[in-house]
Amino acid sequence: MGSEPSGEVYLPDSVRTAVKVLVVGPFAVGKSTFVDTLSEIEPLHTEETMTRDGAVVDDLHGITDKTTTTVALDFGRRTLSDRVVLYMFGTPGQQRFLSMWEDLAHGALGALVLADVARLEESFDVISVLEERGLPYGVAINDFNSVAIPSHEELREAFDLLPEIPLVTCDARDRSGTARAMISLVEHVLASPFEHAQESA
């Protein structure tokens, strides 16, 4: 997945292809942390402090210690090779922001769906939207709650995944795990026609 973050803001002159991917999933599943962990540059976040008014419309059942929420996007970058760079857009998880991340999907080659094994059903609507758009995706179970994770066969059945759709387990706080999850998505995307890749100027 390229070298470790160097802190460099500018891309090498050799880069020719930019790949845009979304990091999607339900509220409080770890999308911002995932982008933080994998990005080689200082990520951009648009977070606001959660309020009592927000608690009225956002389901906080099973969620503890969450004080901020993404209201527009998270943005990070990861250089995959001397010619290819990955741009990651983390999307808001609340249902009321669904139309916003659908807009972010324009030009994206794929999406990585982060899921919480304790709240799997909350990922179903996200996957349905991706399938309706025809956007390739992979699923990553964010293993951060020390909850027993079902077998891959059980998870595939729960998500009703086709055999070719990647399913991995990762910890959004771990760089190697997030890299493996993103590699699984990129390989899946590259197995499809690459005509939507954005050529750098």
Side-chain angles (χ1 to χ4, degrees):
M1 281 293 292
S3 59
E4 289 304 301
S6 63
E8 293 292 333
V9 175
Y10 300 105
L11 289 171
D13 292 338
S14 60
V15 169
R16 292 292 179 269
T17 303
V19 179
K20 176 183 177 181
V21 297
L22 303 183
V23 180
V24 302
F27 179 56
V29 78
K31 299 181 296 295
S32 297
T33 300
F34 186 99
V35 173
D36 269 356
T37 300
L38 194 54
S39 180
E40 65 191 4
I41 60 173
E42 186 70 26
L44 168 69
H45 296 296
T46 54
E47 291 194 328
E48 294 291 342
T49 300
M50 294 176 61
T51 65
R52 290 184 178 179
D53 290 340
V56 174
V57 293
D58 296 329
D59 183 6
L60 303 183
H61 178 72
I63 299 169
T64 59
D65 302 324
K66 178 127 176 106
T67 58
T68 62
T69 184
T70 299
V71 295
L73 59 87
D74 301 309
F75 174 77
R77 187 189 80 195
R78 184 76 180 186
T79 303
L80 302 184
S81 71
D82 59 353
R83 297 181 63 84
V84 180
V85 64
L86 181 75
Y87 291 112
M88 299 173 287
F89 290 78
T91 64
Q94 298 94 320
Q95 283 292 319
R96 68 182 189 276
F97 293 133
L98 186 60
S99 61
M100 182 181 298
W101 76 255
E102 285 183 308
D103 290 338
L104 287 174
H106 291 294
L109 291 188
L112 186 67
V113 180
L114 278 191
D116 181 349
V117 71
R119 300 181 288 131
L120 287 181
E121 68 284 352
E122 295 183 13
S123 301
F124 296 166
D125 286 345
V126 173
I127 290 176
S128 293
V129 172
L130 295 173
E131 291 179 342
E132 288 170 4
R133 295 188 65 94
L135 191 64
Y137 67 92
V139 177
I141 304 297
N142 189 9
D143 182 12
F144 65 102
N145 279 333
S146 299
V147 176
I149 297 178
S151 68
H152 272 216
E153 291 75 16
E154 292 172 308
L155 288 169
R156 283 193 170 276
E157 183 176 354
F159 287 116
D160 194 23
L161 298 180
L162 295 173
E164 63 269 22
I165 296 176
L167 171 66
V168 299
T169 300
C170 72
D171 184 332
R173 301 164 296 187
D174 175 66
R175 184 177 300 278
S176 62
T178 57
R180 285 193 300 271
M182 191 57 71
I183 286 172
S184 73
L185 171 65
V186 172
E187 289 179 341
H188 177 53
V189 169
L190 293 180
S192 302
F194 200 56
E195 70 245 7
H196 300 297
Q198 302 173 32
E199 294 295 327
S200 298

